[in-house]
Amino acid sequence: TFPAIVEILQGTGEHQDELRRAIMSGIVLSAGSRTDHLVRSALGALQRWMQGCETHIDRVRLVGQDILWLFDRFRGERRVTRNLMRTLSSLLQEEVFSVLIEEGTLGEGARWGASIVKAVAKELGSTEDVNLLMAGGRVHLGILCFPGLARDLAVRKALEMLEHQFPKVRSVVAEEMYSQLVVLEGEFEDIEEEAYDEILESLSETPWVGKISTLFEPIDKLYKLFGLEVPERQIQPQSTKEENIPSEKNPSYLDLVKEMGF
């Protein structure tokens, strides 16, 4: 049914927009779910539709605009936005949006990518929902292939996550950022080879599960290696949340335990 449903996404106009966005919401919920057959069917149909014609850039633009609309429409509704971010990270991984950063569309791609990073950051806020954080972090890393402001914002958000209170979040973001940078090495032409190697070395060798206070120095070095200004921090008293096991009633801790596979 998904291949037939996605064909309706082409419609434009006031009423068509409402219908298209309603359909997109359903596809996103399915493609970002934990049910394998739904993910394969929904995501596969959407991806084939986006790339299924010679003028597929128009379809990519349409989906890109709808994704931003969905972030605004469902702000704070974690069940929807978590799946939205999972779907988006999968599409970014499959390079479906690469047409937006080809020659002639660099400015458009940079603007869209920056808007995505801002939308994800706004949704994450100060959440302690580990699943939401991991989904958002993967979107930030997926935007690293975009140029200009989009990339700078994505790098900043990824580095901020390296200071998160949950060690699992820090270690996974560092590991996946390393993998993404290995793939994108040729895209960071403004960073010298030696500096790039230092970035990869720091990501792979820093003990990210250690105390946050010990990570400020390597993180600040990463900012400098990326050519970004080091942010000012307000140093808070060391929280015991990392060392002490929270109450079983704490849902964020339960999410963390599930993420770690215990």
Side-chain angles (χ1 to χ4, degrees):
T1 59
F2 283 111
I5 291 174
V6 295
E7 292 299 327
I8 305 174
L9 295 176
Q10 187 64 45
T12 58
E14 182 179 354
H15 297 298
Q16 291 92 333
D17 286 351
E18 292 179 5
L19 176 60
R20 188 186 69 249
R21 288 166 177 168
I23 292 172
M24 182 66 73
S25 299
I27 293 174
V28 162
L29 279 172
S30 300
S33 71
R34 292 292 194 182
T35 307
D36 287 344
H37 75 274
L38 275 179
V39 172
R40 288 194 299 270
S41 298
L43 190 62
L46 180 59
Q47 182 178 340
R48 287 191 295 273
W49 180 82
M50 291 173 70
Q51 298 177 314
C53 68
E54 292 183 1
T55 57
H56 70 279
I57 187 172
D58 294 329
R59 295 183 174 185
V60 173
R61 285 174 175 145
L62 199 62
V63 173
Q65 292 167 4
D66 282 351
I67 286 174
L68 289 171
W69 180 87
L70 288 170
F71 270 114
D72 287 335
R73 169 63 179 81
F74 294 102
R75 180 76 58 203
E77 297 185 33
R78 301 293 168 75
R79 185 177 68 90
V80 178
T81 55
R82 181 170 55 243
N83 284 15
L84 173 58
M85 287 188 276
R86 286 174 179 162
T87 301
L88 178 54
S89 65
S90 296
L91 292 173
L92 288 167
Q93 187 176 14
E94 294 297 326
E95 300 182 355
V96 175
F97 292 100
S98 62
V99 66
L100 296 181
I101 54 177
E102 293 175 355
E103 185 176 356
T105 59
L106 286 176
E108 178 184 0
R111 289 190 297 273
W112 181 81
S115 296
I116 288 293
V117 173
K118 293 174 182 177
V120 170
K122 189 174 181 179
E123 180 62 24
L124 295 182
S126 57
T127 184
E128 293 185 355
D129 183 327
V130 174
N131 291 321
L132 191 71
L133 286 163
M134 303 300 286
R138 290 183 174 113
V139 173
H140 289 325
L141 296 178
I143 296 294
L144 291 180
C145 65
F146 282 68
L149 178 61
R151 177 177 295 160
D152 288 347
L153 288 174
V155 169
R156 281 192 174 278
K157 292 304 176 184
L159 295 181
E160 287 175 9
M161 296 189 81
L162 295 180
E163 297 183 26
H164 195 273
Q165 62 182 336
F166 289 146
K168 176 66 175 179
V169 172
R170 301 197 297 267
S171 60
V172 170
V173 169
E175 179 182 347
E176 297 193 8
M177 188 176 187
Y178 173 90
S179 298
Q180 184 76 332
L181 291 177
V182 168
V183 173
L184 296 174
E185 185 169 358
E187 302 295 325
F188 286 77
E189 298 177 352
D190 55 331
I191 300 179
E192 294 183 0
E193 183 177 352
E194 184 177 346
Y196 206 84
D197 289 341
E198 285 189 63
I199 290 171
L200 295 177
E201 182 179 357
S202 181
L203 288 171
S204 62
E205 297 187 4
T206 300
W208 297 108
V209 295
K211 289 186 176 182
I212 296 176
S213 58
T214 66
L215 301 177
F216 293 154
E217 183 176 345
I219 291 173
D220 287 353
K221 183 178 180 181
L222 285 171
Y223 275 104
K224 294 175 182 176
L225 290 170
F226 275 109
L228 301 174
E229 184 179 350
V230 178
E232 294 184 6
R233 310 185 174 84
Q234 293 183 349
I235 305 299
Q236 302 293 334
Q238 182 67 46
S239 171
T240 59
K241 187 175 292 187
E242 289 183 277
E243 293 81 16
N244 297 335
I245 298 177
S247 164
E248 292 184 358
K249 294 182 180 179
N250 188 330
S252 62
Y253 176 69
L254 294 179
D255 283 340
L256 176 61
V257 171
K258 290 177 183 176
E259 262 312 297
M260 295 189 70
F262 292 130

